[in-house]
Amino acid sequence: MTLDVLIEQARRTHSSALCVMQGGEVLIDEAPNHTGGRPIETMSVTKAVLSLLVGRAVTLGVLPGADVAVAEYYPEWRQGRKADVTLQHLMTHTSGLQNVPAAPEEIYPSPDFVQLALCAELRHAPGTAFSYNNKAVNLICGLLDRATGQRADDFARAELFAPLGIHEWQWDRDRAGTPHGMSGLQLRARDLARLAQLTLRGGEGLITPSWIHASTCPATPATPRMGLLWWTWHPQTTYTVTDAHVQHLREAQASPTQIGALTTLRGTHTRQDFHTLMGTVGFDPTQVPAGTRWLQEDPGPRRGWCHDGWLGQYLVVDAEADLVAVRLIAADQPGVGSAGSSWPEFMDDVFSLAR
């Protein structure tokens, strides 16, 4: 893989923006389909920036750390099992809060994302099960508001974006006026890459190196792949599905369609092949009951950290190669949502480029 091939692939997949930085030097900063390099909705990649913002609050001392109890800021949670929920649980998707995986079904219709999270019941004891949870992440913006005295986007403007020279951006708010935590941040690809550079430079004085390390390494025993809102990146990961895993799914009373699809996935697969096969057979991991052991993951060596988002937004930090890569596609980009626009091989292509 070469830079020219990567640019050509960006064009073929209707990408709106592509940026690659190595050693602090910009190698690619392209708007392949003439979008003008405008800020683009980063979707769930917003969570990686939110991690940096929490790290800034911890560095300033306005947040004591990831182990602080949510109840310190929301006293109504001081009773029952919710008293045990920490900021770290919210950031590792292990809070146990009830959650509907599809955000348009429950979250977007809500006028107050924070209140929606506060009112959610616990389905699991905190820290015992991993379940990707947009609702819980939205609560983090509420914590930042109460800890800093500022809305998360205002705090970001003053303490993170402005010091880095990032001035053209937007962050969606709910109707109660709180920024979304799960998504909603619009950035230029180059600015997103610049923010990721902080993780390769020990926070550059804005964020303590200890926070950078803690947020980009495994942060929960529930899964080896989750840091503090960052996924750890293991490009040589393999996945194995056995008869026992199918039986676990059956015992969890998953739908017959999902049980049949997982049966088809039995065997050992590379990461890229596995995700392709899941789409082919119609297996949806978000429909797996939390805590169900439906596969064995062999992560292989950790090479860096990453995040992705709906439509095909990608942010990859290759720590070994001192490289950051960003791919964004705008919701109004011609071709968005088509079979050829999601570029699921992007992270593998970045790995090939670095090698």
Side-chain angles (χ1 to χ4, degrees), residues 307-321:
H307 217 298
D308 59 354
W310 186 58
L311 296 179
Q313 323 295 12
Y314 294 104
L315 169 60
V316 187
V317 180
D318 187 332
E320 288 193 25

Side-chain angles (χ1 to χ4, degrees), residues 245-265 281-284 287-289:
H245 293 124
V246 175
Q247 182 59 28
H248 291 155
L249 195 64
R250 187 175 289 113
E251 292 170 356
Q253 299 183 334
S255 71
T257 300
Q258 292 301 299
I259 292 170
L262 188 64
T263 301
T264 305
L265 291 172
V281 304
F283 185 78
D284 184 357
Q287 301 304 312
V288 175

Side-chain angles (χ1 to χ4, degrees), residues 286-314:
T286 67
Q287 301 304 312
V288 175
T292 304
R293 291 173 49 228
W294 61 276
L295 87 168
Q296 176 183 323
E297 181 179 354
D298 180 6
R302 169 178 165 273
R303 190 175 173 95
W305 39 94
C306 61
H307 217 298
D308 59 354
W310 186 58
L311 296 179
Q313 323 295 12
Y314 294 104

Side-chain angles (χ1 to χ4, degrees), residues 27-309:
L27 304 183
I28 302 174
D29 185 15
E30 293 274 329
N33 287 293
H34 311 294
T35 56
R38 70 181 191 271
I40 294 168
E41 158 73 270
T42 60
M43 306 299 177
S44 282
V45 181
T46 298
K47 297 177 176 74
V49 180
L50 182 59
S51 178
L52 297 174
L53 195 58
V54 173
R56 178 61 178 159
V58 171
T59 300
L60 292 173
V62 293
L63 267 176
D67 58 352
V68 66
V70 173
E72 289 294 315
Y73 300 95
Y74 291 96
E76 59 266 43
W77 274 28
R78 288 178 179 166
Q79 306 298 319
R81 291 193 300 173
K82 285 185 177 179
D84 297 326
V85 178
T86 66
L87 174 58
Q88 178 148 335
H89 291 138
L90 301 180
M91 298 185 78
T92 57
H93 301 286
T94 60
S95 65
L97 283 182
Q98 171 272 336
N99 181 55
V100 175
E105 292 183 23
E106 184 180 26
I107 296 176
Y108 283 123
S110 172
D112 190 329
F113 291 6
V114 171
Q115 194 60 37
L116 181 69
L118 289 171
C119 292
E121 297 297 326
L122 282 186
R123 298 187 62 181
H124 304 279
T128 62
F130 172 84
S131 181
Y132 192 82
N133 195 319
N134 282 317
K135 184 187 294 180
V137 172
N138 286 330
L139 181 53
I140 296 171
C141 286
L143 263 70
L144 281 170
D145 188 335
R146 295 202 169 187
T148 67
Q150 301 179 71
R151 302 286 185 173
D153 52 350
D154 292 331
F155 182 67
R157 177 183 292 107
E159 296 293 341
L160 189 61
F161 297 158
L164 295 175
I166 298 172
H167 302 294
E168 191 172 356
W169 57 277
Q170 183 175 326
W171 202 330
D172 292 341
R173 293 182 174 187
D174 65 18
R175 280 172 278 169
T178 303
H180 305 178
M182 62 182 185
S183 60
L185 178 60
Q186 299 173 36
L187 285 167
R188 294 178 183 272
R190 185 168 182 168
D191 289 336
L192 181 56
R194 179 68 185 88
L195 285 161
Q197 275 287 114
L198 289 175
T199 64
L200 289 172
R201 300 291 179 267
E204 295 185 342
L206 289 173
I207 302 169
T208 62
S210 60
W211 178 268
I212 298 296
H213 177 76
S215 62
T216 57
C217 290
T220 170
T223 172
R225 288 220 43 231
M226 194 76 239
L228 299 176
L229 290 179
W230 285 94
W231 296 103
T232 58
W233 186 43
H234 306 257
Q236 294 170 293
T237 297
T238 59
Y239 299 98
T240 300
V241 176
T242 66
D243 289 336
H245 293 124
V246 175
Q247 182 59 28
H248 291 155
L249 195 64
R250 187 175 289 113
E251 292 170 356
Q253 299 183 334
S255 71
T257 300
Q258 292 301 299
I259 292 170
L262 188 64
T263 301
T264 305
L265 291 172
R266 286 175 299 179
T268 298
H269 315 277
T270 65
R271 190 195 67 82
Q272 181 175 341
D273 288 347
F274 190 65
H275 285 278
T276 299
L277 285 169
M278 280 199 298
T280 300
V281 304
F283 185 78
D284 184 357
T286 67
Q287 301 304 312
V288 175
T292 304
R293 291 173 49 228
W294 61 276
L295 87 168
Q296 176 183 323
E297 181 179 354
D298 180 6
R302 169 178 165 273
R303 190 175 173 95
W305 39 94
C306 61
H307 217 298
D308 59 354

